[in-house]
């Protein structure tokens, strides 16, 4: 194929990113939209870049050195990237290439000024904008200057910031090519940026216009605060006019300079309202063309808008597809399930297939549509009460939406269904046999699932699992199961409400539920202390575990003195709990049985920090505290007016909470036990397809939905392009922060604490486990990297049940996500750890090693050093 060195913008479309880079492809596409003015120009293609850099033998060696540098070694990246830029800039542009560029300039006249702009192939992509990572030069006059600045644009592919950004987005330096856009300069009265969706709230119905005087560099470089116009449905709904003290002007001989704005103009708006509305309408046309919200650079010349760039806004959280244009309100599932990380497509579709409510995917996360429940007064009140008790931030976010009276439709309450035959159902009895029966039924069902799954191969695996999903939902929707869960939660709420009312004591249930029986998650943490007891007496085993670097260590372990006992203890633990892992609601996450090395740091912490018998002592200590608290509370109640009645009611509720609160954790254990069986069956099928040459890698199936995986098993064919695309999409989803509440307009709401009862500078959260503790903060994002000492306070994003083994080793807990009845809160109370959850950006605002004080009763954290 003949190499092309120059293409005019009118010859370019959006599909030519590999030839003209992201910016060039977007500008070519923009120039084809009716009514959109784009300054005339051309692209120096990636063929030109490839030819020029191919002339430098030293460049390959420099890129090899750069590839070996860690992303964290900024000093070496800075040095090497500067060397590479010098190498590229010093390469002589071949005569025929220089002639092609000069010829493209010839039609515009000798004194024409140009903007010379980098356009990398990894730029302005749907998943990574790369905004500002490479260089742009304005008001470049004359062919020699244009050629010089084209070389500088090529070199800017290796600015320190561009190299670092590529590393963070998983893009290899060698795979990126640079094109250069050369456009005739426009000299605007005003310029700025238009976002076709509000970049702060995410609201797709609000366009935001930033505007300043002169060239846009004044805004981009932060020289001035822009005027800001918010436009919604053809009307300016909000405006902020700033004092614009500086602007950037073009110089007659080339280049630009910063100049002061006359004091009489500084507070004049850069645009009229009518111009802002017209610009927003132009933005909607561009957005419709590209099919997603855009970040658009514009210039105003003689009341006419010129568009000089448009790129996708990559920071917006996606909106679930509803199939209609109705207003909708979604609540995050991840914030309830303690897993706000992005999920892979197989994980999303498996959770959707087994969940009790319909769930919608967006940004690799799951959401439930609560619009109908918000619309009717009775269901709205019940939902808001439930959300408020669980996570006040969700309630606050929902209230923000409800304050917009026109967003959620108002519906009448549904008429009562009438009395049921035989009257109201009997409330569940406070009887431990209820819990025992539920667990026995669950275990029998899982055993049958495990037995039957072993007999299935090929496409019949998927038919078998589809039936298994129905059994899965039947077990979870058993009315007795739901009553048992709610009995423990309602008893907790009753005790906290009544004992605060009668005795003025906050969160009394936290102590009354210590060492409650049958809590499978807290038992999991204590059981790992017992594993440590087996390992502790054998120094060679301890030394061996300290050097473990992979997951195949158990067989080697057995060869050491005491190693067989250690391996058996770990194996027994994995037999009971090996289906668990961090982020366990995503079936694609590696389970402890698949990666037992994840547990080694925790085991070693337990060996170091505890004495033998710690699990039993800890449980007995909690049990004694609960009994003592019960006697104290009942004694104080009897001294009150009508005290005997209050004491009797409270005693009945204490018995009830201790009977049922442990079971709160069991249904999740049931779900994850089933998930491990499902995963083993699916991965056996993935291995069969790898052996048959259908799949390149068994984990390719993680990027397919359950139904797509089934289709591959039936057809023996896989769409490899789809798998690659899904990998890229998942990577982009990982960078997004999911909101607690999301609307169909795209507004992402995380709620706020409306409190003024905490010390200045304290981090506000939700109190979930009473007490106050002071200690060293350990900010841990990966359980496998735990390194804890006695008295440490765990600070992390979220804690699902898999984090429980760490809880035994810490003195307190702070998380970014959580509610009163989420797993971390339940286990913190079970272990008596002061805990505050729902602390926004806790892992960023608290530094590892800082001394902090956790106020688990009042819900805030103080940073002491």
């Amino acid at each position: 194929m003949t190499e092309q060195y120059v293409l005019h913008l009118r010859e370019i479309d959006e599909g030519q990113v590999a030839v003209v880079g992201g910016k060039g492809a977007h500008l070519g596409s923009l120039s084809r939209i009716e009514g959109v003015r784009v300054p005339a120009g051309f692209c120096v293609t990636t063929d030109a870049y490839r030819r020029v850099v191919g002339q430098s033998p030293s460049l390959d060696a420099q890129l090899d050195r750069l590839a070996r540098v860690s992303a964290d070694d900024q000093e070496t990246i800075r040095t090497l990237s500067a060397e590479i830029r010098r190498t590229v800039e010093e390469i002589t542009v071949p005569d025929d290439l220089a002639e092609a560029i000069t010829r493209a300039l010839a039609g515009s006249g000798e004194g024409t000024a140009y903007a010379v702009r980098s356009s990398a192939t990894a730029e302005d992509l749907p998943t990574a904008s790369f905004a500002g990572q490479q260089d742009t030069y304005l008001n470049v006059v004359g062919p020699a200057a244009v050629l010089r600045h084209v070389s500088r644009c090529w070199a800017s592919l290796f600015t320190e910031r561009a190299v670092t950004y590529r590393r963070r987005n998983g893009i290899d330096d060698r795979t990126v090519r640079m094109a250069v856009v050369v456009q005739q300069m426009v000299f605007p009265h005003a310029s700025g940026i238009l976002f076709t969706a509000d970049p702060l709230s995410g609201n797709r119905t609000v366009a935001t216009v930033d505007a300043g005087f002169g060239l846009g560099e004044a805004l981009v470089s932060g020289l001035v605060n822009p005027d800001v116009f918010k436009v919604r449905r053809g009307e300016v709904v909000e405006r902020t006019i700033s004092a614009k003290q500086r602007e950037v002007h073009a110089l007659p001989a080339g280049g630009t300079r910063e100049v002061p704005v006359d004091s009489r103009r500084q507070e004049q708006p850069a645009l009229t309202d009518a111009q802002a509305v017209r610009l927003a309408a132009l933005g909607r046309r561009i957005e419709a063309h590209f099919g997603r919200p855009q970040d658009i650079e514009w210039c105003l010349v003689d009341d006419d808008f010129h568009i000089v760039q448009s790129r996708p806004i990559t920071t917006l959280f996606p909106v679930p597809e509803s199939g209609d244009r109705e207003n909708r309100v979604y609540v995050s599932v991840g914030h309830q399930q303690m897993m706000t990380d992005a999920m892979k497509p197989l994980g999303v579709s498996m959770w959707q297939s087994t969940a009790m409510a319909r769930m919608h995917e967006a940004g690799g996360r799951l959401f439930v549509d609560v619009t109908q429940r918000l619309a009717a007064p009775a269901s709205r009140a019940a939902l808001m009460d439930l959300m408020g008790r669980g996570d006040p931030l969700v309630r606050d976010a929902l209230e923000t939406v409800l304050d917009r009276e026109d967003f959620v439709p108002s519906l009448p309450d549904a008429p009562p269904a009438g009395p049921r035959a035989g009257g109201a159902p009997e409330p569940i009895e406070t009887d431990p046999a209820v819990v025992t029966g539920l667990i026995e039924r669950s275990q029998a069902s899982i055993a049958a699932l495990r037995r039957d799954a072993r007999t299935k191969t090929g496409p019949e695996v998927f038919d078998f699992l589809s039936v298994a999903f129905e059994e899965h939902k039947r077990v979870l929707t058993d009315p007795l199961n739901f009553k048992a869960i709610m009995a423990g939660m309602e008893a907790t709420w009753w005790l906290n409400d009544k004992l605060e009312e009668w005795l003025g004591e906050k969160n009394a249930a936290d102590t009354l539920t210590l060492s409650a029986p049958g809590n499978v998650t807290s038992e999991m943490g204590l059981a790992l202390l017992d594993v440590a007891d087996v390992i502790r007496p054998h120094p060679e085993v301890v030394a061996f575990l300290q050097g473990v670097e992979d997951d195949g260590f158990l067989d080697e372990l057995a060869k050491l003195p005491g190693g067989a006992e250690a391996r058996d203890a770990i194996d027994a633990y994995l037999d009971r709990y090996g289906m668990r892992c961090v982020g366990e609601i995503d079936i694609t996450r590696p389970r402890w049985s698949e990666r037992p090395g994840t547990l080694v740091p925790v085991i070693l912490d337990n060996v170091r920090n505890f004495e033998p018998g710690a699990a039993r002592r800890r449980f007995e200590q909690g049990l004694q505290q609960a009994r003592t608290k019960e006697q104290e509370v009942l004694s104080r109640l009897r001294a009150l007016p009508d005290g005997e009645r209050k004491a009797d009611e409270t005693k009945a509720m204490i018995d009830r909470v201790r009977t049922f609160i442990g079971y709160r954790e069991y249904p999740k254990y049931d779900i994850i036990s089933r998930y491990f069986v499902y995963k083993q069956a699916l991965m056996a099928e993935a291995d069969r397809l790898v052996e048959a040459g259908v799949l390149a890698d068994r984990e390719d199936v993680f990027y397919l939905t359950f139904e797509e995986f089934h289709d591959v098993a039936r057809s023996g064919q896989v769409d490899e392009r789809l798998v690659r695309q899904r990998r890229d999409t998942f990577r982009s989803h990982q960078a997004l922060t999911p909101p607690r509440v999301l609307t169909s307009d795209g507004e992402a709401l995380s709620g706020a604490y409306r409190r003024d009862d905490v010390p200045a500078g304290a981090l506000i959260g939700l109190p979930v486990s009473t007490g106050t503790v002071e200690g060293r903060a350990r900010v841990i994002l990966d359980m496998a990297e735990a390194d804890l000492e006695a008295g440490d306070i765990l600070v992390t994003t979220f804690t699902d049940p898999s984090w429980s083994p760490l809880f035994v080793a810490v003195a307190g807990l702070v998380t970014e996500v959580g509610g009163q009845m989420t797993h971390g809160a339940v286990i913190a109370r079970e272990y008596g750890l002061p805990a505050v959850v729902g602390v926004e950006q806790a892992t960023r605002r608290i530094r590892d090693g800082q001394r902090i004080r956790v106020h688990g009763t009042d819900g805030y954290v103080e940073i002491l050093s």
Side-chain angles (χ1 to χ4, degrees):
M1 191 175 83
T2 305
E3 292 184 328
Q4 280 189 297
Y5 296 137
V6 171
L7 285 174
H8 286 275
L9 288 182
R10 60 181 176 273
E11 301 176 84
I12 296 167
D13 61 37
E14 203 180 345
Q16 293 174 276
V17 171
V19 178
V20 296
K23 186 182 286 111
H26 276 81
L27 285 167
S29 192
L30 279 167
S31 66
R32 297 163 178 262
I33 305 173
E34 187 178 350
V36 176
R37 296 194 61 176
V38 176
F42 59 90
C43 274
V44 181
T45 67
T46 54
D47 285 343
Y49 169 82
R50 191 180 295 110
R51 180 176 171 193
V52 167
V53 298
Q55 295 178 196
S56 173
S58 64
L59 192 57
D60 263 351
Q62 289 172 322
L63 288 173
D64 284 342
R65 286 165 58 204
L66 184 61
R68 292 193 293 268
V69 178
S70 162
D72 298 325
D73 188 354
Q74 286 300 119
E75 187 59 41
T76 306
I77 288 176
R78 184 178 302 119
T79 303
L80 275 177
S81 60
E83 282 181 27
I84 293 169
R85 288 197 307 278
R86 281 195 300 274
T87 299
V88 174
E89 284 191 45
E90 289 168 4
I91 299 171
T92 302
V93 179
D95 290 345
D96 60 330
L97 174 52
E99 183 183 346
I101 295 171
T102 304
R103 195 164 51 244
L105 296 169
S108 305
E110 185 66 27
T112 302
Y114 296 92
V116 182
R117 314 169 69 193
S118 61
S119 179
T121 51
E123 182 177 279
D124 294 354
L125 304 178
T127 57
S129 76
F130 279 76
Q133 300 306 311
Q134 285 92 33
D135 291 343
T136 285
Y137 302 96
L138 299 180
N139 200 31
V140 178
V141 180
V146 169
L147 286 170
R148 188 166 62 253
H149 285 86
V150 167
S151 289
R152 293 177 71 183
C153 281
W154 287 332
S156 76
L157 190 59
F158 296 98
T159 62
E160 179 189 350
R161 62 184 182 272
V163 171
T164 302
Y165 193 90
R166 285 196 291 272
R167 294 290 176 89
R168 288 175 182 163
N169 283 274
I171 297 171
D172 185 343
D173 294 318
R174 289 182 180 275
T175 65
V176 185
R177 301 284 184 265
M178 178 67 86
V180 180
V181 177
V182 181
Q183 287 176 282
Q184 290 181 25
M185 276 291 294
V186 293
F187 301 98
H189 156 73
S191 57
I193 301 165
L194 161 66
F195 299 96
T196 63
D198 189 319
L200 297 179
S201 72
N203 194 322
R204 272 43 165 201
T205 68
V206 177
T208 301
V209 179
D210 289 1
F213 295 131
L215 291 167
E217 295 342 91
L219 294 188
V220 173
S221 61
L223 285 178
V224 297
N225 292 323
D227 296 340
V228 180
F229 300 82
K230 291 189 182 293
V231 181
R232 188 166 187 255
R233 297 193 175 100
E235 180 184 357
V236 174
V237 294
E238 186 181 326
R239 80 178 61 73
T240 303
I241 307 303
S242 301
K244 298 168 287 296
Q245 297 176 337
R246 315 291 292 174
E247 62 183 312
V248 174
H249 275 191
L251 295 171
T256 62
R257 74 172 178 188
E258 176 192 327
V259 297
V261 176
D262 186 284
S263 59
R264 291 167 296 184
R265 290 179 59 227
Q266 287 180 3
E267 297 194 24
Q268 290 179 5
L271 294 179
T272 65
D273 281 8
Q275 288 170 329
V277 168
R278 183 153 51 90
L279 178 60
L282 190 61
R284 292 287 175 226
R285 192 179 307 165
I286 294 169
E287 177 184 71
H289 175 82
F290 288 116
R292 58 186 301 149
Q294 297 288 299
D295 164 358
I296 298 165
E297 294 182 23
W298 56 269
C299 295
L300 180 65
V301 182
D302 297 329
D303 198 36
D304 207 354
F305 287 106
H306 295 246
I307 304 301
V308 295
Q309 191 164 339
S310 184
R311 62 170 72 92
I313 307 175
T314 58
T315 55
L316 297 175
F317 200 86
V319 179
E321 293 182 11
S322 65
D324 59 39
R325 293 175 173 265
E326 298 295 319
N327 289 348
R328 303 206 174 264
V329 183
Y330 303 95
V331 170
S332 164
V333 173
H335 285 81
Q336 314 301 314
Q337 289 292 336
M338 295 292 90
M339 214 296 273
T340 54
D341 290 348
M343 297 169 69
K344 296 185 179 78
L346 184 61
V348 168
S349 69
M350 289 292 286
W351 195 262
Q352 288 173 319
S353 298
T354 53
M356 291 180 284
R358 186 182 176 206
M359 296 193 175
H360 305 261
E361 185 275 338
R365 279 76 169 188
L366 290 164
F367 294 84
V368 173
D369 184 347
V370 297
T371 317
Q372 288 295 107
R373 293 182 68 184
L374 288 173
S379 59
R380 180 192 312 140
L383 177 68
M384 298 298 277
D385 180 61
L386 185 65
M387 292 297 174
R389 285 183 178 276
D391 184 346
L393 292 177
V394 174
R395 177 174 183 139
D396 182 81
L398 289 173
E399 285 173 344
T400 301
V401 176
L402 290 170
D403 285 344
R404 294 165 196 147
E405 296 178 2
D406 60 338
F407 192 81
V408 177
S410 184
L411 299 175
D413 285 322
R420 297 183 185 180
E426 284 294 313
I428 188 171
E429 293 293 325
T430 302
D431 181 358
V434 172
V435 171
T436 304
L438 285 167
I439 291 174
E440 287 175 352
R441 267 182 276 175
S442 162
Q443 290 175 338
S445 175
I446 292 168
L449 172 69
R450 193 178 289 119
R451 182 189 64 239
D452 295 344
R454 294 194 191 105
T455 67
K456 310 300 177 186
T457 57
E460 69 176 349
V461 166
F462 298 89
D463 297 326
F464 168 75
L465 289 179
S466 295
V467 174
F469 297 162
E470 295 310 308
E471 167 68 2
H472 179 127
K473 288 188 275 192
R474 187 197 66 75
V475 169
L476 289 176
T477 55
D478 179 345
L480 190 61
N481 179 58
F482 182 72
K483 286 181 182 179
I485 295 169
M486 291 307 298
M489 293 169 63
E490 288 167 349
T492 301
W493 296 333
W494 189 97
L495 286 166
N496 281 337
D497 291 347
K498 291 297 185 182
L499 294 180
E500 184 167 8
E501 177 189 342
W502 292 338
L503 299 176
E505 185 166 339
K506 291 182 179 177
N507 303 324
D510 292 0
T511 307
L512 293 167
T513 53
L514 289 171
S515 297
N519 188 319
V520 69
T521 308
S522 63
E523 289 169 358
M524 179 170 68
L526 296 176
L528 208 58
L529 288 174
D530 291 335
V531 172
D533 285 353
V534 175
I535 290 169
R536 191 180 291 106
H538 304 292
E540 289 184 58
V541 171
V542 174
F544 172 80
L545 290 176
Q546 287 168 339
V548 164
E549 293 183 355
D550 59 50
D551 294 305
F553 67 92
L554 288 173
D555 290 338
E556 290 298 312
L557 182 63
K559 300 173 184 176
L560 300 171
E565 298 96 315
R567 183 195 60 189
D568 290 347
I570 294 172
D571 278 341
Y573 186 87
L574 292 173
D575 284 345
R576 177 136 171 83
Y577 303 111
M579 78 293 289
R580 311 219 82 148
C581 67
V582 173
E584 60 192 9
I585 70 169
D586 182 351
I587 201 170
T588 71
R589 291 288 190 102
R591 312 284 135 175
W592 289 344
S593 286
E594 297 168 323
R595 289 195 187 165
T598 303
L599 294 173
V600 169
V602 189
I603 294 171
L604 290 171
D605 283 347
N606 288 348
V607 168
R608 185 175 67 249
N609 294 333
F610 294 93
E611 296 295 323
R616 178 182 48 77
R617 284 195 305 277
R618 187 168 196 136
F619 185 83
E620 290 297 330
Q621 181 183 2
L623 193 58
Q624 186 56 50
Q625 285 179 263
R627 287 170 176 163
T628 301
K629 185 67 175 178
E630 176 180 333
Q631 295 308 312
E632 176 217 320
V633 163
L634 296 178
S635 176
R636 289 168 63 193
L637 286 171
R638 289 191 183 102
L640 299 176
D642 198 19
E644 287 300 326
R645 177 189 63 80
K646 291 173 180 173
D648 289 347
E649 289 181 8
T650 301
K651 170 60 176 166
M653 208 54 74
I654 291 172
D655 291 346
R656 191 167 179 80
V657 80
R658 293 193 65 80
T659 298
F660 290 111
I661 198 63
Y663 184 72
R664 163 72 181 82
E665 291 295 296
Y666 193 83
K668 186 73 170 285
Y669 179 81
D670 175 290
I671 291 170
I672 301 307
S673 297
R674 293 174 191 276
Y675 260 42
F676 194 40
V677 179
Y678 303 158
K679 183 175 187 182
Q680 289 172 312
L682 289 171
M683 296 317 291
E685 181 59 15
D687 289 337
R688 184 186 72 80
L689 292 169
V690 170
E691 288 174 17
V694 176
L695 295 175
D697 186 286
R698 71 196 304 253
E699 292 191 2
D700 285 354
V701 300
F702 293 168
Y703 301 94
L704 303 173
T705 65
F706 178 77
E707 284 303 323
E708 289 167 346
F709 189 179
H710 191 182
D711 289 341
V712 171
R714 278 189 296 233
S715 68
Q717 294 181 313
V718 66
D719 184 343
E720 293 178 358
R721 186 185 57 80
L722 176 66
V723 171
R724 287 195 302 272
Q725 178 189 331
R726 293 270 181 81
R727 283 182 190 273
D728 290 341
T729 301
F730 172 71
R731 190 181 295 121
S732 71
H733 286 165
Q734 286 179 298
L736 298 173
T737 300
R740 285 175 168 81
V741 172
L742 185 64
T743 74
S744 50
D745 282 350
E747 189 168 11
L749 300 144
S750 289
Y753 294 107
R754 316 288 175 178
R755 294 177 56 186
D756 56 8
D757 59 343
V758 299
L763 310 183
I764 301 174
L766 177 66
V768 296
S769 186
T770 194
T772 301
V773 67
E774 185 178 312
R776 178 180 69 155
R778 292 311 319 271
V779 179
I780 298 174
L781 303 180
D782 183 348
M783 183 176 158
E785 296 175 1
D787 181 15
L788 297 165
E789 300 287 349
D792 283 349
I793 296 170
L794 173 62
V795 181
T796 190
T797 47
F798 58 79
T799 56
D800 59 10
S802 69
W803 285 79
S804 299
L806 288 189
F807 283 24
V808 299
V810 297
L813 174 68
V814 179
T815 69
E816 295 180 351
V817 176
Q820 282 281 0
M821 284 297 168
T822 49
H823 301 277
V826 171
I827 305 308
R829 291 193 289 272
E830 173 76 14
Y831 287 164
L833 301 179
V836 179
V837 302
V839 179
E840 288 288 280
Q841 298 188 330
T843 58
R844 298 179 194 174
R845 297 162 74 185
I846 299 171
R847 294 196 308 276
D848 187 56
Q850 279 187 311
R851 195 156 189 82
I852 63 173
R853 185 181 296 128
V854 178
H855 295 262
T857 306
D858 294 311
Y860 63 92
V861 180
E862 291 180 282
I863 298 175
L864 305 177
S865 66

